[in-house]
Amino acid sequence: MVDWFARHARDLPWRAAGTSAWGILVSEVMSQQTPMVRVAPRWTEWMDRWPTPADLAAASPAEVLLAWDTLGYPRRALRLRETAVAIAEEHGNTVPVGEAALRALPGVGDYTAAAVTSFAHRAPATVLDVNIRRVLGRVFAGRSHPTPAPTRRERDWAAALVPGTGHVEWNAGLMELGALVCTSRNPDCAACPLRGDCDWYDAGRPIDPARRPSTQTWHGTDRQLRGAIMAALRADPDTEVPVALLVTETADLDPEALTALPDPVEAAVLRVRALGSAERVARLVAALVADGLAERTAGDAGEERLRLPR
Ligand code: SF4
């Protein structure tokens, strides 16, 4: 596994020698639910702009959401900023050491605490993301797919497998193997260094229908529509978008109010209108405000407007 990782590890910017623990923490938060190839350019921009927690803590939520751009699940951006504030104010601008101290930070869960402990502080830790869980389950337990979340028993079992020497390469290598070779749907067993030890391969790769992950759809979901509303707010951060334009059925839109908007905002509003009913948009606007991702303001005539949080 160590040899395989040395030969096949992707050249990701946070793997460069000298990357700070803060840089590792940012990469782990960004990489949850977003492919690393999409994360890499955004991570580089963030670290150039906000190289320490105190730098990010001084940024406004709007700046952070704009820089997060299209990585998805933008609440992660706000939580990362809260984490930065806590590290800057309570830990002297230094990422704390130890999983318990890391888990005490806002937005840092079991996975991120273990990953930072292993990859940044290079201390033994049981890193369990979905890729590692899939590989371990196939090799050592003959299971096709992991359950949605690890149980305490699975954590104890996985911890017993982490080697005393080479634990960082073990975690990083398993994670990379799961991302590149032992994928959920099309594992490339012919290219796998663990094939000779893999229970699931030996058993003929039986699929457990109860564990097969469901196909995630994107089109038509609330996530897609939330993303479109956020895109309208990001299109020109100086423009506050009239809520009436977002929640009025397309046929009833005021053309003058629409064309008064800058072109990118007008296009983004029309996309929102094309994706969902006025009722759905109104519900999701309320949810975005409740999540702290948007805020309502009043225009000159008292009309309700929406913008990124300041
Ligand atoms: S042999 Fe196939 S199933 Fe087993 S770990 Fe390798 S890629 Fe995954």
Side-chain angles (χ1 to χ4, degrees):
M1 177 54 62
V2 174
D3 288 347
W4 181 89
F5 184 62
R7 277 185 280 119
H8 295 277
R10 286 170 290 181
D11 183 19
L12 298 167
W14 50 87
R15 286 181 176 161
T19 299
S20 66
W22 169 241
I24 301 283
L25 195 160
V26 171
S27 77
E28 291 300 337
V29 173
M30 286 185 166
S31 302
Q32 290 165 25
Q33 299 160 307
T34 306
M36 287 185 178
V37 286
R38 279 181 54 209
V39 166
R42 197 66 65 237
W43 180 88
T44 301
E45 290 168 15
W46 270 56
M47 296 311 294
D48 285 346
R49 187 171 179 184
W50 298 307
T52 75
D55 298 314
L56 181 62
S60 71
E63 289 174 312
V64 170
L65 287 169
L66 279 170
W68 192 259
D69 197 24
T70 55
L71 287 179
Y73 298 100
R75 270 178 291 187
R76 288 182 296 164
L78 297 184
R79 296 295 274 170
L80 191 52
R81 181 175 170 277
E82 291 171 26
T83 304
V85 170
I87 295 173
E89 293 181 354
E90 298 164 24
H91 297 278
N93 209 24
T94 300
V95 175
V97 175
E99 291 185 60
L102 286 161
R103 275 196 302 269
L105 296 169
V108 174
D110 290 341
Y111 166 75
T112 306
V116 171
T117 297
S118 179
F119 304 140
H121 298 134
R122 304 188 77 78
T126 308
V127 181
L128 278 187
D129 78 336
V130 70
N131 286 325
I132 291 183
R133 295 180 64 222
R134 186 173 56 251
V135 175
L136 291 180
R138 286 176 176 174
V139 173
F140 295 107
R143 296 186 200 122
S144 62
H145 294 91
T147 52
T151 60
R152 169 52 54 195
R153 205 165 147 220
E154 183 183 340
R155 288 185 187 286
D156 292 344
W157 172 72
L161 296 170
V162 178
T165 303
H167 47 82
V168 177
E169 292 76 13
W170 169 267
N171 286 326
L174 283 180
M175 192 181 290
E176 196 78 335
L177 190 77
L180 299 180
V181 177
C182 191
T183 57
S184 179
R185 292 183 189 281
N186 296 303
D188 183 4
C189 299
C192 180
L194 302 180
R195 189 180 48 186
D197 301 310
C198 181
D199 285 357
W200 191 58
Y201 178 81
D202 286 346
R205 308 190 349 175
I207 299 290
D208 180 348
R211 288 178 175 239
R212 187 200 299 266
S214 58
T215 305
Q216 286 192 335
T217 54
W218 159 255
H219 293 287
T221 61
D222 280 358
R223 256 194 77 212
Q224 183 192 28
L225 190 47
R226 279 171 65 106
I229 298 168
M230 290 299 292
L233 305 187
R234 285 199 315 267
D236 178 357
D238 294 329
T239 298
E240 298 182 355
V241 179
V243 173
L245 290 180
L246 293 170
V247 300
T248 301
E249 296 299 352
T250 307
D252 300 324
L253 280 175
D254 175 356
E256 280 188 25
L258 198 57
T259 54
L261 295 172
D263 288 350
V265 182
E266 179 185 351
V269 167
L270 287 173
R271 177 164 164 73
V272 172
R273 293 297 338 115
L275 285 175
S277 69
E279 189 182 350
R280 266 184 79 205
V281 174
R283 174 171 59 79
L284 294 179
V285 164
L288 289 170
V289 171
D291 287 344
L293 292 166
E295 64 185 19
R296 298 180 196 268
T297 62
D300 293 341
E303 77 281 15
E304 193 176 48
R305 292 173 172 266
L306 201 67
R307 70 182 186 189
L308 292 175
R310 302 286 163 86

